[in-house]
């Protein structure tokens, strides 16, 4: 699906020959190969890219030509097809160095290795050794959390599917099939492909419940509740959020019991049940203080959701101040809500400091959501106090740019809507 680098071509042409594929060209010297490349290029079948000293950089072909020869090879010479992909997989794995903080370009050979590994019938090995261990770095989820590379990651995940996004390769174990369905749903959701994300997410939930893997079931039910909330299915969101809490409680996992309560609380807040939501957020924060005494406040997405609830009243009051003449009762309410904004800002400053100074696994989203909370609190407070709004613009730009870099499209409208309100005022 891309130009074949000179290094990959060299790997294919190494001894021993791949029967049915390279035996006719492996014995040619460089001059004879160059003549072959030139004749194919003259015929319009190949594009040859060369660098300094006439060194071969890459070979490329029209997509229709690639497709034709791929279909011909896989149907007539299946063993050669798999052997060639296996060789490319091994070459790319062995010749790609792991860096401490790789860029998306640094990871491209590993993404390419995943594709070749799956085409070679090595799905389980490609998943374990490359996709999970080297691209995602296990629980670090490096490619998505640190780079926001959801599109590229989804391309790798697609290699493990026989029919996207419904049927995962049976070469993966059953637990890995459920995990891959969840990864597909997560990336689709982040990319804004929400309706596509729902089907693999529900399938994953069903598999985990069937296998009584309650922690995983809680994670997926929580993700499904958040997805339904974004789609506007409030009843479904509340129902699956309740299930997430139930599954997490059955698992006994302290973190999942905490975090799924915040998902439930956020669903209740969006439905309009503020008191019940506040109670659940307070319960979750008490669990957080017990779990991590040095970090007693909710942080990450949970912290943002709690701040969103706390800012609901100041936001409503700020809207009233924007559209109604100033009256004494409104002025008194505005003063109290401005103080709430200050308290929320203090929470966000504290959690942002944790992410930047204490935690080693800060994601782009975590930092962006903190900036969004700070900018919203500042905007609402400025409107309530009748102060200039221009100073809020830089903070909101930082938040919106951060959300774009994080790659989570479902969160981006939060920043855009807040900034739109600022623009309407200024």
């Amino acid at each position: 699906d891309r130009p074949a680098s000179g290094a990959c071509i060299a790997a294919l042409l190494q001894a021993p020959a791949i029967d049915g594929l390279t035996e006719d060209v492996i014995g040619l010297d460089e001059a004879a190969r160059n003549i072959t490349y030139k004749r194919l290029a003259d015929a319009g079948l190949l594009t040859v890219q060369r660098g300094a000293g006439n060194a071969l950089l890459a070979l490329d072909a029209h997509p229709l030509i690639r497709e034709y020869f791929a279909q011909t090879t896989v149907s007539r010479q299946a063993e050669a097809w798999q052997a060639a992909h296996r060789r490319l997989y091994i070459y790319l794995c062995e010749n790609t160095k792991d860096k401490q903080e790789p860029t998306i370009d640094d990871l491209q050979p590993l993404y390419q290795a995943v594709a070749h590994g799956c085409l070679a019938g090595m799905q389980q090995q490609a998943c374990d050794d490359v996709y999970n261990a080297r691209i995602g770095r296990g629980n670090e989820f490096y490619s998505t959390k640190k780079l926001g590379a959801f599109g590229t990651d989804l391309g790798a995940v697609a290699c493990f599917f026989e029919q996207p996004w419904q049927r995962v390769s049976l070469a993966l174990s059953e637990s890995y099939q459920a995990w891959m369905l969840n990864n597909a749903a997560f990336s689709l959701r982040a990319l804004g492909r929400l309706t596509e994300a729902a089907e693999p997410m529900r399938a994953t939930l069903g598999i985990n419940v069937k296998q009584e893997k309650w922690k995983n079931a809680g994670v997926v039910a929580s993700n499904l509740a958040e997805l339904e909330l974004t789609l506007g299915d409030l009843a479904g969101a509340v129902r699956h959020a309740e299930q997430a809490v139930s599954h997490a409680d059955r698992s006994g996992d302290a973190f999942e019991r905490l975090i799924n309560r915040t998902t439930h609380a956020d669903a209740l807040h969006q439905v309009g049940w503020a008191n019940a939501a506040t109670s659940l957020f307070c319960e979750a924060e008490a669990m957080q203080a017990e779990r991590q005494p040095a970090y007693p406040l909710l942080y990450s997405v949970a912290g943002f959701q709690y701040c969103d609830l706390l800012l609901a009243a100041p936001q409503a009051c700020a809207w009233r101040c924007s559209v109604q003449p100033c009256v004494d009762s409104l002025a008194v309410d505005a003063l109290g809500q401005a103080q709430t904004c200050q308290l929320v800002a203090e929470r966000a400053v504290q959690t942002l400091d944790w992410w930047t100074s204490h935690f080693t696994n800060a994601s782009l989203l975590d930092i962006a959501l903190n900036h969004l909370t700070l900018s919203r609190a500042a905007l609402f407070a400025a409107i309530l106090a009748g102060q200039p709004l221009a100073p809020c613009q830089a903070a909101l730009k930082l938040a919106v740019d951060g959300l774009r870099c994080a790659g989570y499209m479902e969160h981006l409208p939060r920043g855009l809507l807040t900034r739109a309100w600022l623009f309407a005022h200024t």
Side-chain angles (χ1 to χ4, degrees), residues 251-426:
S251 77
D253 185 274
F255 176 74
E256 290 305 324
R257 293 183 69 243
L258 181 163
I259 208 68
N260 288 356
R261 278 165 169 76
T262 64
T263 301
H264 190 195
D266 186 51
L268 294 175
H269 168 215
Q270 303 305 332
V271 170
W273 299 340
N275 291 337
T278 301
S279 178
L280 265 178
F281 273 124
C282 290
E283 180 184 351
E285 190 152 84
M287 296 168 71
Q288 169 62 27
E290 181 179 352
R291 177 174 170 269
Q292 292 181 297
Y295 308 104
L297 302 179
L298 291 172
Y299 55 82
S300 191
V301 175
F304 173 79
Q305 291 170 337
Y306 191 19
C307 288
D308 186 49
L309 171 67
L310 296 174
L311 286 173
Q315 182 177 8
C317 188
W319 274 108
R320 292 198 299 274
C321 289
S322 299
V323 299
Q324 293 179 1
C326 184
V327 295
D328 291 343
S329 60
L330 184 56
V332 172
D333 189 21
L335 179 62
Q337 299 302 343
Q339 293 173 346
T340 300
C341 290
Q342 178 60 35
L343 293 174
V344 171
E346 291 172 1
R347 292 176 66 95
V349 167
Q350 179 63 80
T351 54
L352 182 59
D353 177 65
W354 292 344
W355 281 122
T356 55
S357 304
H358 298 257
F359 299 164
T360 58
N361 62 336
S363 72
L364 297 175
L365 179 64
D366 295 324
I367 294 173
L369 289 178
N370 270 282
H371 284 304
L372 180 56
T373 296
L374 284 169
S375 57
R376 293 173 84 186
L379 176 63
F380 301 160
I383 294 173
L384 292 166
Q387 296 175 347
L389 304 184
C392 302
Q393 189 162 335
L396 263 171
K397 183 179 187 306
L398 188 64
V400 171
D401 289 349
L403 290 171
R404 289 191 190 281
C405 289
Y408 289 81
M409 291 298 103
E410 66 187 285
H411 288 288
L412 181 60
R414 304 179 192 275
L416 295 176
L417 287 167
T418 305
R419 192 166 65 174
W421 191 11
L422 170 66
F423 287 165
H425 274 281
T426 55

Side-chain angles (χ1 to χ4, degrees), residues 149-165:
F150 288 101
T152 308
D153 223 62
L154 184 63
V157 169
C159 296
F160 297 98
F161 278 77
E162 294 177 1
Q163 181 182 350
W165 307 103

